[in-house]
Amino acid sequence: MLNSVTLLIAITLMYSTPMVFAGLGNLISEKTGVINIGVEGMMTIGAFAGAAVCYFSGNAWLGFLCAGLAGGMLAVLHAAASIVFQCDQTVSGIAVNLIGPGAALFICSLLFEGATSTQPVSDKIPKIFGDISAEGILGNLNMDVTVVIAFLMAAGMWLLFYKTKWGLHLQAVGEHPAAADTLGIKVNRLRFGCVIASGVLAGFGGASVTLGIVSQFTPITIAGQGFISIAAVIFGKWTPHGAYGACLLFGFAQALTVLLGGGESVIPSQILAMLPYILTIVMLVLFVGRGVAPKASGKPYEKGSRT
Amino acid sequence: MKLKKLTALGTAAVMLACMAGCGTAAEEESGFSVAMITDTAGINDQSFNQSAWEGLQEFSKASGVEVNYLESKQSADYVTNLERLGDSDADFIWSVGFDTADALVEVAANNPDLRYAIVDNSYEDTPDNVTGVVFKAEEPSFLVGYIAGKTTTTDHVGFVGGIENAVIRQFMYGYEAGVSYAAKEMGKEIQIDVQYAESFSDAAKGKAIASKMFSEGCDIVYQAAGGSGTGVIEAAKEAGKYAIGVDRDQAYLAPENVLTSALKKVGKAMSIVSEKVMNGEDFGGQTLSFGMAEECVGIPEENPNMDPAVYEDAMKIAELIKNGEITAPATEEEYTAFLESLK
Amino acid sequence: MNKIADALKKPVIRILAAILLGLMAAGVILAIAGYPPAASIAALGKGIFSKPKYISNVIIKSTPLIFTGLAVAFAFKTGLFNIGAEGQFIIGCLASTLVGVTVKLPAVLQIPLILITGMAAGAAYGGIIGLLKAKFGIHEVISGIMLNWIALYLSNYVCMLPAFRKGDTNGTDQVSEAGRTLILGAWKKTGEGAAVLKKIPVFGEILLKTDANIGFVIAVLTAVVLAILLKNTIKGFELQAVGYNKYAAEAVGINIRKNILEVMLIAGAVAGLGAALYITGNSPHKVTVLSAFEGMGTNGLGVALIAGSSPIGCIFSGLLFGGLLYGGQALQYEVGAPTEIINITIGTIVFFVAIIQGVPKLLEKYGGRRKGHAE
């Protein structure tokens, strides 16, 4: 019994961690009013960069940081398009989702002799309890350190938004940029920085998969987690704790699918696989309902405009 | 006005460049050439498409024959890709994966002068210009099942499948039979857990399922789950237990935790057939079956994590399979019958 | 400066410029990677234009993309982000195939039945998203993403049920001959049919060697119908008003919730129609177990966005996507460049389409300032 419970916790956290990173990334961008649906692409390039750097350098943390860097660089494209060129943010998000994986696979094939997967890394993200045996309760709960980092990031973002001056500025920029401007807040500069931050976070999310869950990058490592994280942000009503909770819920449903499956299960495997998605919709209907995006979401800010 | 002219010029320039490309189709008679199409898993699926292409590349190196491939992204691409290969100067066209079966029939009918072959599919009525190539994947699976049965210390092993289909069932039933055979030999009961990830690309799901199996007492898990399977191997690495690879030697993924791999040498079989066709043999209208007797399935020669005594025993079993004394089951009926015969 | 700004305001010029820049960027990337850029672009062009059957294949490949593009674009007009088009397409395929396999009517009845089934299934599935939003306020992006995955697993489950599964294979039977929308499909398979067609130069080759079907014609018609609906009818005006300003529309008495539901029903129906035509018009005419999304809906997003959500524009951007996706395979075959370069190319084109939208404004801002000073 206890074994199952600890297993449930471990799988939940494993599944949700990449989504938490990407979700927080999406959140920080959206909070300042820039729609960022390109997190999937940023996750992918981060996943690749992390695995590649770790393979060549032998250091997982270096890989993790470079993953964030890669995601941030890709985000510059989105930031430039949305803020400088004031284009449709959804379109540039889609562009990022196409360019990110394309670039990742392309560079991978250059670095790894035509293969679109990296070689497995030998140094992965360390576990919480170190190299203990995998038996028993402690063994089950011995998860990647990125799980803890994700939680800290979420908590940190909560503090940022609700307990600091910076956070108030961020939210003001997202709700009423003209008013924020009159207060001397540099709207576009703040937005630009936050979009880059969102890329960095998404990159971390990608690395948490290729350096934590598995130990290599393949074309299918990131397949939909970015979009689910966007859903999580909306589910969580654009708050850090809401997004974190939504990611946990989703990871929990996946964990249930794994634990309920297997030879003895009566429920067909494919129906069980639908569980996380059905559960999300049910929860939305029962508990969440309407959510409101930041008011200035999606609208480029022009100095001197009224809104 | 000026801008309109510019645009017109620009578009014309692009079109000219394209047309220029059209003109350079000087067909060089370069001898025999072989080409293949992948199914939607892609050329780098770390599984049979990749094995197929690697095999063709080796064949090219050994014989000097030109080889090429086209990657299919959607099932509607199969027909268009096969047609495109038919237009190129490929003499022998491979269609990899049972998913391409219906498309190949259509294209083969449209191009009766060209020769085709398909991997992992046997037709009830094979067209005259098509050769079916199937593998007895249950044979190496039986072998690794036997090895697992002999190696387990907890008498509890597992199998993780991707999505259930006829090919994956070969792997599953062969494995289960091998485990049962080893259990009978040693006079004990071994429990086998089976679970499907419902995906060939969710490594996290594979890892989660394997972790669950390991924490419930399994010490060896065999996977036939493509990309999800790499998660199984990862789980073994983290749990300090064993995983068994599939299709290719997957020891490189976790050198200390991969017990062995059930090899399906798609590339080798393709080389053999391509060479024979190049030398004039015609297998049109037939299905060729490759198993241990043809040396196209098996286990790696080097298995650093395996007990040498177990390897010896496994080689004896391999001989029994090769000379037909043991027939590994590939379907549910065959498996049930096999279990009956063990009693 | 201002002349360029004025020119770039025209959508056609913008898109052409974006395509050019995108191809140039692709050329640069290829050169960096060591592939000959000019030969690569030439291979791309050859792969699309050099034979009539290639052009036909581009049109065939674009058809479902035009439909999913329309499904997304139409919803965009009312401010809804129909990211669920992928799921609507999958459900449309499933429903069409099931009917096409189990019902055996003559072609005159079979084909319309299948098409209507596809539309109804797609509409119902899109309607779920509309209902969830209208009644519970649930954002269509979440429900769309969730329903996409549900559709994938549902399709895998149903096509493997003993009732529908073909023997030991991974999917259903093929849709009956009567249900297929290929042009002269049955005739061209017969001996005399093939012999006659071989003699006809261009169209004979197209009919024999490609899955030429009526889908494209219907796609164009659908786009025209939607365009007329939006521009020339009261309903269309209502729907767009909701998109421009929800509160103003409500103040005028337009029922927002009903509109949201109607829009999603129509968008879903369009995606479902595309799915039905895809199944009946393209080999392999059946549904198989999918390991991953095929991407019709995802590409449809790109199609709609490049077209600026204009229904007629979707026809052209659908063709563009189809051309690049189809030609991309030739690129890999001829030059050996990895197929990913096509994704980068498409992404770059979409990116430039986005940016170029903002260039006129920028040019005017900086050009105008100087003008002001001069005065």
Side-chain angles (χ1 to χ4, degrees):
Chain A
M1 182 61 216
L2 195 54
N3 191 39
S4 299
V5 169
T6 49
L7 211 58
L8 206 64
I9 297 176
I11 299 178
T12 301
L13 288 168
M14 172 184 81
Y15 253 105
S16 53
T17 299
M19 292 190 283
V20 169
F21 278 115
L24 291 176
N26 178 251
L27 182 64
I28 198 169
S29 171
E30 299 246 352
K31 266 298 204 201
T32 52
V34 179
I35 298 179
N36 183 5
I37 59 169
V39 278
E40 179 100 0
M42 298 175 197
M43 272 184 98
T44 313
I45 196 110
F48 164 69
V53 168
C54 179
Y55 177 72
F56 286 116
S57 71
N59 187 323
W61 289 116
L62 188 63
F64 191 73
L65 286 173
C66 287
L69 207 66
M73 285 190 337
L74 190 61
V76 171
L77 283 179
H78 181 53
S82 314
I83 299 170
V84 178
F85 288 94
Q86 300 191 348
C87 71
D88 187 330
Q89 295 163 6
T90 317
V91 181
S92 84
I94 301 259
V96 167
N97 279 340
L98 289 166
I99 296 180
L105 292 167
F106 191 74
I107 302 177
C108 187
S109 68
L110 292 179
L111 290 177
F112 289 92
E113 291 156 23
T116 52
S117 313
T118 61
Q119 290 291 315
V121 299
S122 41
D123 183 38
K124 290 176 55 176
I125 302 271
K127 299 268 182 199
I128 303 179
F129 301 123
D131 263 330
I132 63 162
S133 140
E135 311 278 13
I137 310 301
L138 223 53
N140 277 347
L141 288 176
N142 194 14
M143 298 167 285
D144 296 324
V145 173
T146 42
V147 169
V148 177
I149 299 181
F151 174 72
L152 291 175
M153 290 261 174
M157 200 168 279
W158 185 88
L159 285 172
L160 174 72
F161 282 160
Y162 303 120
K163 300 286 180 195
T164 68
K165 187 181 72 167
W166 272 105
L168 285 178
H169 286 188
L170 278 170
Q171 295 183 77
V173 163
E175 299 287 339
H176 209 284
D181 195 11
T182 58
L183 292 174
I185 301 175
K186 304 249 188 289
V187 171
N188 281 335
R189 215 176 281 186
L190 199 56
R191 281 183 171 177
F192 206 95
C194 284
V195 172
I196 297 188
S198 83
V200 172
L201 283 167
F204 286 155
S208 71
V209 177
T210 52
L211 292 175
I213 299 183
V214 292
S215 41
Q216 60 173 165
F217 171 79
T218 64
I220 38 143
T221 342
I222 308 289
Q225 288 99 319
F227 283 107
I228 308 259
S229 75
I230 298 176
V233 168
I234 301 177
F235 191 115
K237 299 206 193 195
W238 286 273
T239 62
H241 45 286
Y244 189 77
C247 291
L248 278 187
L249 173 69
F250 198 82
F252 178 73
Q254 292 280 23
L256 269 186
T257 305
V258 168
L259 269 116
L260 291 177
E264 333 78 45
S265 171
V266 180
I267 313 173
S269 193
Q270 296 100 329
I271 304 289
L272 213 53
M274 287 190 221
L275 182 66
Y277 310 99
I278 299 182
L279 193 67
T280 309
I281 297 188
V282 168
M283 296 293 286
L284 279 169
V285 170
L286 290 177
F287 297 115
V288 180
R290 242 162 249 283
V292 186
K295 268 205 211 85
S297 182
K299 288 188 235 150
Y301 175 63
E302 282 202 51
K303 237 176 154 47
S305 59
R306 287 273 227 84
T307 45
Chain B
M1 258 304 120
K2 237 196 215 163
L3 212 49
K4 274 205 184 145
K5 279 198 195 153
L6 252 160
T7 333
L9 258 172
T11 331
V14 174
M15 296 232 61
L16 263 173
C18 297
M19 291 306 175
C22 305
T24 56
E27 296 292 325
E28 313 131 30
E29 275 311 303
S30 48
F32 198 74
S33 80
V34 178
M36 63 171 259
I37 68 161
T38 69
D39 70 4
T40 52
I43 197 77
N44 286 296
D45 60 352
Q46 298 190 301
S47 171
F48 63 85
N49 280 293
Q50 189 167 341
S51 172
W53 176 233
E54 284 170 0
L56 275 190
Q57 286 177 303
E58 298 239 344
F59 176 59
S60 174
K61 261 189 238 156
S63 65
V65 161
E66 267 186 49
V67 293
N68 209 334
Y69 73 91
L70 270 178
E71 211 177 2
S72 311
K73 305 272 180 176
Q74 298 172 323
S75 46
D77 289 344
Y78 298 145
V79 167
T80 55
N81 280 351
L82 285 169
E83 282 287 344
R84 205 192 269 280
L85 285 184
D87 287 340
S88 73
D89 49 16
D91 295 286
F92 193 46
I93 299 174
W94 285 92
S95 190
V96 176
F98 54 80
D99 213 23
T100 63
D102 284 326
L104 184 61
V105 167
E106 199 179 303
V107 173
N110 279 341
N111 299 282
D113 313 318
L114 296 176
R115 287 168 296 177
Y116 300 90
I118 183 166
V119 170
D120 266 353
N121 190 65
S122 67
Y123 295 103
E124 264 181 38
D125 206 0
T126 315
D128 288 331
N129 55 344
V130 174
T131 309
V133 170
V134 291
F135 292 86
K136 298 202 178 105
E138 62 274 14
E139 289 182 0
S141 299
F142 186 93
L143 210 55
V144 300
Y146 178 78
I147 293 171
K150 300 279 283 193
T151 315
T152 172
T153 53
T154 59
D155 293 345
H156 194 173
V157 298
F159 173 79
V160 177
I163 301 182
E164 190 167 1
N165 61 48
V167 170
I168 302 297
R169 271 198 298 270
Q170 285 177 311
F171 289 103
M172 179 174 82
Y173 287 122
Y175 175 70
E176 291 190 86
V179 175
S180 309
Y181 190 88
K184 171 99 192 300
E185 214 184 76
M186 299 185 292
K188 55 180 179 173
E189 290 274 325
I190 302 183
Q191 183 183 345
I192 312 172
D193 287 345
V194 171
Q195 195 163 344
Y196 281 88
E198 288 313 314
S199 162
F200 283 111
S201 53
D202 193 347
K205 183 70 62 79
K207 185 174 180 184
I209 295 178
S211 300
K212 168 185 157 200
M213 288 184 176
F214 287 130
S215 82
E216 288 180 351
C218 294
D219 59 348
I220 305 176
V221 175
Y222 175 40
Q223 59 89 2
S228 312
T230 56
V232 171
I233 298 179
E234 197 68 28
K237 190 154 102 176
E238 292 187 0
K241 305 271 171 76
Y242 286 125
I244 299 179
V246 75
D247 284 342
R248 297 151 69 237
D249 186 353
Q250 296 189 306
Y252 69 98
L253 286 173
E256 289 172 24
N257 300 88
V258 173
L259 183 61
T260 179
S261 302
L263 302 176
K264 184 165 143 179
K265 299 184 191 171
V266 177
K268 184 167 177 184
M270 283 170 69
S271 294
I272 295 177
V273 175
S274 300
E275 183 156 8
K276 293 198 180 183
V277 169
M278 182 170 81
N279 293 333
E281 290 188 51
D282 184 15
F283 298 104
Q286 303 173 27
T287 300
L288 303 171
S289 182
F290 288 88
M292 268 189 193
E294 296 82 14
E295 306 277 320
C296 281
V297 295
I299 61 173
E301 280 178 16
E302 301 283 327
N303 297 288
N305 297 317
M306 205 192 302
D307 182 354
V310 172
Y311 184 74
E312 291 290 316
D313 289 337
M315 287 299 106
K316 291 196 201 117
I317 299 289
E319 279 307 310
L320 292 179
I321 297 179
K322 277 189 209 173
N323 62 32
E325 279 185 49
I326 296 182
T327 317
T331 63
E332 194 169 3
E333 300 100 41
E334 289 174 23
Y335 177 59
T336 325
F338 184 85
L339 283 182
E340 280 297 313
S341 74
L342 275 183
K343 287 193 179 131
Chain C
M1 269 294 153
N2 280 330
K3 275 209 193 132
I4 302 185
D6 281 334
L8 285 178
K9 283 204 186 130
K10 301 207 180 78
V12 179
I13 309 275
R14 278 211 299 271
I15 297 183
L16 279 178
I19 297 176
L20 216 62
L21 285 167
L23 286 174
M24 274 169 30
V28 168
I29 299 176
L30 283 166
I32 296 179
Y35 300 101
S40 306
I41 305 290
L44 185 65
K46 182 172 155 194
I48 304 175
F49 295 110
S50 66
K51 280 197 192 194
K53 77 173 182 191
Y54 294 160
I55 301 183
S56 169
N57 276 330
V58 167
I59 295 178
I60 294 170
K61 203 170 179 75
S62 324
T63 308
L65 295 174
I66 298 177
F67 276 108
T68 49
L70 285 171
V72 173
F74 187 72
F76 260 137
K77 285 285 192 192
T78 49
L80 288 172
F81 192 166
N82 187 15
I83 206 170
E86 184 89 29
Q88 289 144 26
F89 192 85
I90 294 177
I91 295 292
C93 284
L94 184 66
S96 318
T97 308
L98 292 182
V99 164
V101 164
T102 50
V103 176
K104 308 267 192 248
L105 292 172
V108 176
L109 292 173
Q110 180 90 328
I111 295 179
L113 180 66
I114 297 180
L115 294 183
I116 294 179
T117 310
M119 285 176 69
Y125 209 64
I128 299 178
I129 299 181
L131 194 67
L132 286 172
K133 174 137 199 189
K135 218 162 170 212
F136 301 105
I138 298 177
H139 202 289
E140 69 273 12
V141 169
I142 313 188
S143 46
I145 295 178
M146 297 297 134
L147 285 168
N148 284 347
W149 285 95
I150 294 176
L152 182 73
Y153 290 120
L154 187 66
S155 173
N156 285 354
Y157 176 67
V158 172
C159 77
M160 294 288 266
L161 285 176
F164 301 114
R165 186 169 169 199
K166 176 181 174 185
D168 220 13
T169 66
N170 236 27
T172 62
D173 278 301
Q174 292 181 294
V175 167
S176 64
E177 197 64 55
R180 302 193 192 176
T181 51
L182 295 164
I183 302 179
L184 299 174
W187 183 65
K188 71 182 180 186
K189 280 197 203 158
T190 65
E192 332 107 49
V196 170
L197 286 172
K198 270 202 193 127
K199 297 201 197 110
I200 306 177
V202 171
F203 286 104
E205 185 188 330
I206 291 181
L207 284 175
L208 256 187
K209 298 279 180 119
T210 70
D211 277 338
N213 59 65
I214 60 176
F216 184 69
V217 174
I218 302 194
V220 173
L221 283 173
T222 312
V224 171
V225 164
L226 286 177
I228 295 179
L229 175 67
L230 283 172
K231 266 202 222 133
N232 299 11
T233 65
I234 299 182
K235 194 71 195 168
F237 173 77
E238 269 183 29
L239 295 174
Q240 289 185 89
V242 172
Y244 279 131
N245 193 327
K246 222 166 45 177
Y247 306 109
E250 214 168 17
V252 181
I254 299 177
N255 185 339
I256 300 186
R257 290 177 190 212
K258 197 164 75 98
N259 273 325
I260 292 180
L261 184 59
E262 280 172 1
V263 167
M264 287 312 301
L265 284 172
I266 297 179
V270 169
L273 178 62
L277 286 165
Y278 179 70
I279 290 287
T280 54
N282 286 300
S283 164
H285 302 290
K286 64 179 183 185
V287 169
T288 55
V289 170
L290 291 171
S291 305
F293 290 116
E294 288 208 316
M296 289 301 179
T298 326
N299 285 332
L301 275 174
V303 167
L305 288 171
I306 292 190
S309 301
S310 131
I312 303 292
C314 283
I315 302 177
F316 297 102
S317 64
L319 283 168
L320 174 69
F321 258 80
L324 286 172
L325 288 171
Y326 181 71
Q329 288 160 339
L331 186 62
Q332 170 254 305
Y333 190 74
E334 302 275 341
V335 178
T339 46
E340 287 73 38
I341 191 72
I342 280 298
N343 289 0
I344 301 182
T345 312
I346 296 180
T348 324
I349 294 180
V350 173
F351 186 67
F352 280 119
V353 165
I355 293 194
I356 290 186
Q357 217 179 4
V359 169
K361 253 189 266 174
L362 270 183
L363 284 177
E364 272 175 11
K365 205 159 97 176
Y366 291 108
R369 242 189 237 160
R370 278 185 232 134
K371 217 169 145 188
H373 278 265
E375 278 161 37

